Amino acid sequence: MSSPEWKNPAIKWVDERLPVFSLMHHSTAGYPTPRNLSYWWNFGSLALFALIIMVLTGVFLVMNYTPHVDMAFDSVERIMRDVNYGWLLRYMHMNGASMFFIVVYIHIFRGLYYGSYKGPREILWILGVVIMLLMMGTAFMGYVLPWGQMSLWGATVITNLFSAFPVVGDYIVTLLWGGFSVDNPTLNRFFSLHYLLPFVLFAVVGLHLWALHAVKSNNPLGVEMKQPEDSIPFHPYYTIKDLFGMGVFLMFFLYFVFWQPNFFGEPDNYIPANPMLTPPHIVPEWYFLPFYAILRAVTFDFLWIIPAKLGGVLAMFASIILLMALPWLDRSKVKSCKFRPVYKWFFWILFADCVFLGYLGQKPAEQPYVIMSQLAAAYYFAHFLIILPLMGKIEKAVELPESISAAVLKKSEDA
Amino acid sequence: MRKLLIAAVAAFTLNLGAAQANSGTYVPEFKDASWSFEGFFGRYDQKQLRRGYKIYSQVCAACHSLNRVAYRNLSALGFTEDEIKEIAAEKEIRLPYGDAGALLNDDGEFFTRPAIPADKFVPPFANDAAAIDVNGALPPDLSLITKARKGGPHYVYSFLMGFMDEVPEEVMHQKGFVLNEDKNFNIYFPGYYNSMPPQIMDEMVEYEDGTPMTGEQHAKDIVAFLNWAAEPELDHRKSLGLKVMLFLLVLTAMLYALKRKIWANVKH
C-alpha cells in the first residue's frame, strides 16, 4: 500500500520531512489484517496495554518509594495510607503484574494452538520468548522491592540458584547480591534494574511489532493472506475490537484491584523482611509456579556429572529457552490445530500439564508431589522434543481451505 | 537414598522444616464470623470500629503496638478533632537527643512531650527487647495483622476464640506433638502454643451503645478495628470501585455496539 496524498499543507509539510503521518497510516488504516481473527487475537494488544499500565503506575510509585532496607517497607505502607490514591496505584501495579502474565500466557498458548510460530514468523516468536524472559526478570525484581518477608526470602532462594553453576556460580551470586547476602545493595540494584528493564521490554516489544508488521498476523485458519479479499484494514476494524477487549479486560483487572487486591499475593509479604526468621513456606508468585515445579522436579544427579541442583536450574531455563526452537521442532506444514486432528489433543494435554505443574509448584517438596512433578516435567519436555516432531511426520492433516475469504464465505453461506 | 535426595532439594529451596512439619497437622476450619466490611458493597460499621478501638486501647495496647496508625486517623471512627487531641495528649513521646540538648533532665528522666494528632500511636514499650523482657515473647505489631495472616480477619477472630484448656484428641495423637504447660494452647495457631494467654471474655470492656457484651461480640469488634487499621482505605476503595465499574460497563457496552456497527458488513 502506498502512502496517501496528504491534502492538509501542514501535515504534508511535516510528513515530507518526518513521515510520521505516513507511518501512522501504514500501521493502521493501511495495514492489512486477516478478516477472520477471533477474540484470541485480542491478547497481543492487551499485553501492550498492561505494559503501559505497569509503567505509568510504576513511575508514580517510584516518586514515593525509598529503596533502602530500613525504609522500603515503611515507604510502601506510607503509599498505602498517606499518599493520595497511593493504595490505588500500588494495588494496580501489584495486580497489574498478574494481569500482564495472564494476558501474555493466553497470548502464548494462542500462538501454540494456531501455529503462529511457524515460518515466516520465527523471529516474531523468538522475540516473544525474549519478552517473556524480560517480564519474568522484571516481575521477580519488582516483588523484592516492598521488602516483606517473601521479598527477602524469595530473592534469597532464586538468587541462590545461580550458585549451582560450576566455578562461576558463587561469583555470580555475590555480584547479584552486591555482598554476601541479600541486603541493601541487592535491593538497590534490583530497584535500578526494575526501572530499567521495562524500557528494554518496550524496545523488544517495538521489534516484536516491527516483525509482526513485516509478516502480518496469523489467523485461526493458519492460511496466509493471498488476495485482497482475505484482509481488512487494521483500522477501524481491529482498533474498535481491541478497544472493546480493553473494556472487558479493565473490568476483570479492576475487580481484583477494588475487591480482592491481595488475591494473588502472599500474606507473608505484609510482614517486614527479617533475615533472622525464615517463613514456613517460601512460594514464588503464581506465574512462576510451573517453572518452579520443573526446578524442584530434578532431585537426582543427571548423567553422573550434573548435580541435582544444577540439573534443576538447567531444566528450568531449558523449559523456556526450548520455546525458541519451536519453529524448527514442529515439522508440520499445517499451522492451525483446527486442521490437525491428533496434535490438537496433545496441545490440550500440554496445557493441562502446565496447569498441573503450576499446582505442583505451590506444594511442599515431598511425596507424592515430587514424583508427580517429575512426570509432569518429563511430559513437558517430551511434548516439545518427541511428540511435536513426530506428529509432523505421522499426522494426516485435514484438507486446508483454499483461502481465508473462501473459508469465510463458505461459513456464512452455511449459516 | 531417595528420601535423602528429596530432603536435599527441599533444603536448597529453603522449604524443608516447616513445609514438612506443617503437612498433616490438624487445624480446624476457621470459626464462622461475618463483618459489615465484607462483600461487594461492604463498608465498615463506624460504631463497631469505635467499640473495637475501645478494646484495643484498654486491653491490646498494653502489649501490642499499632505503629502504622496515627491519632489523626481516628477521625475515620467519628472522633472530633478535639477528642483526637485529647486522646493523643494522654501519651508521652520521648524526645530524641538533641531536641532538648540532652537526653535526660536534671532528675535523670527522659525529656518527653505529649503526643499530637500527627503522631503515630505511641507503642507500649520503648523497643523490642523491652517488650520481650516483659512478655516473654515479642507481641507483634497489629497494624497489618489481618493482612499478614492467611485467612485474614477470619484467622485473627478464630485465633482470639481458639484458646483451649484441654488439648483435643486430634492434636494429642498427632506424631511429634509435645505438651507445653508454660504456654497457651490455641488450636488455630501454627505450632499450637502461644505466649499470649487468652484475652477474650464476656464483659471485658463496657459498651455504651447497648451492644451485647459477649466474648464473641468483643472478638468481632476488635477484629473489625484491626482490619480497619490494616486497610483504612477499604470504604473509599469499594465505593470508588462501584463507580468505576458502572462507568466501565457503560463504556464497554458502547464500544461493543460500535464494534457491531463497524463490522456489520464484514463477513468474518
Side-chain angles (χ1 to χ4, degrees), chain A residues 173-217:
Chain A
V173 174
T174 309
L175 193 68
L176 284 172
W177 287 345
F180 303 99
S181 67
V182 176
D183 207 336
N184 201 46
T186 326
L187 179 61
N188 284 170
R189 59 195 59 203
F190 278 19
F191 177 54
S192 169
L193 294 174
H194 184 70
Y195 209 108
L196 169 72
L197 286 185
F199 295 98
V200 180
L201 205 49
F202 254 126
V204 183
V205 168
L207 294 177
H208 191 68
L209 279 172
W210 191 9
L212 172 72
H213 283 226
V215 297
K216 309 286 185 292
S217 286

Side-chain angles (χ1 to χ4, degrees), chain B residues 2-3 42 46-47 100 105 119 187 189 211 214 233 235:
Chain B
R2 172 154 213 101
K3 263 204 162 145
Q46 206 182 58
K47 281 186 180 156
N105 64 19
D119 285 316
I187 188 77
F189 187 70
T211 308
T214 59
E233 88 295 344
D235 281 355

Side-chain angles (χ1 to χ4, degrees), chain A residues 134-147:
Chain A
L134 282 168
M135 275 176 68
M136 290 176 153
T138 311
F140 163 65
M141 287 190 268
Y143 193 64
V144 177
L145 303 185
W147 209 243

